[in-house]
Amino acid sequence: MAVTKQDQRKTQILDSALDVLVEKGYESSRVDDIVARSGISKGAIYWYYPSKKDIYLALVNHWVWNYSATINYIVSDRQSAAEQLTHLFEFFSQQFRESPAVFKALLEFWALANRDLDFRQKLERVYQEFLGIIKAILRQGVERGEFRPLDVETAALSIMVNVEGLVWFAMLDSHSTSVDDYIHTITQFILAGLAPTTQKGDSV
């Protein structure tokens, strides 16, 4: 589908809003800051988004839309469940390298979700969708005998929390390990924990 000029302007606004959010935080940021960063007039920005809050709510949708196509491609019956989980972790590792600001912004959105119902509901929908993807992979692995019988809800939540660990890499400037090493290690731990008991016994 062709990208329209309107789509390009919206992306320009939202990319600028991301930079402003990471630099100043939600409370301290203003639409004027987004105007200065994007080079788009305040009137044009308000044409697309009635308020600062609407801009940042739209920013969440923007991420979901950008990530969904790749994530849905990763979740495929053509691959084993273990391969799907591995590629999912690798995808987020790549996204961190390319745009760590997205993960920094998540901290701000978490804080907003605690005091604003609209942001809480928005993030809840995003997280439930992501959890649903992980649960589908886990169920597939169990049904195929790739994974041991398990509590899918708890296992999916545990995996999501490990992905969110990337936020701490974004927040802190220095680390004793790299993001790639972190992703590789937790992937190994998770897959080892999911493996059938006989398989784990055979590998010892």
Side-chain angles (χ1 to χ4, degrees), residues 6 28 31 55 59 65 81 101 187:
Q6 185 180 57
S28 298
V31 174
I55 294 173
L59 183 57
W65 186 86
T187 300

Side-chain angles (χ1 to χ4, degrees), residues 61-98:
N61 290 337
H62 181 62
W63 292 341
V64 173
W65 186 86
N66 283 338
Y67 288 172
S68 291
T70 302
I71 291 176
N72 288 333
Y73 178 78
I74 289 171
V75 181
S76 168
D77 290 339
R78 296 187 300 271
Q79 296 178 324
S80 70
E83 287 173 327
Q84 292 176 59
L85 285 179
T86 299
H87 293 156
L88 191 64
F89 274 110
E90 290 174 346
F91 168 72
F92 281 106
S93 177
Q94 177 185 352
Q95 292 305 305
F96 180 90
R97 292 194 301 271
E98 294 177 354

Side-chain angles (χ1 to χ4, degrees), residues 140-157:
Q140 185 184 94
V142 172
E143 291 170 1
R144 292 176 173 179
E146 297 177 51
F147 300 154
R148 63 179 175 80
L150 50 83
D151 182 337
V152 169
E153 294 281 344
T154 302
L157 181 60

Side-chain angles (χ1 to χ4, degrees), residues 96 103 110 160-170 182 186:
F96 180 90
F103 295 89
W110 282 346
M160 188 178 73
V161 168
N162 277 281
V163 172
E164 288 181 339
L166 291 171
V167 173
W168 300 104
F169 278 85
Y182 167 75
I186 62 173

Side-chain angles (χ1 to χ4, degrees), residues 26-40:
Y26 181 81
E27 297 298 339
S28 298
S29 67
R30 303 174 303 158
V31 174
D32 285 338
D33 298 318
I34 300 172
V35 169
R37 186 65 61 96
S38 67
I40 296 175

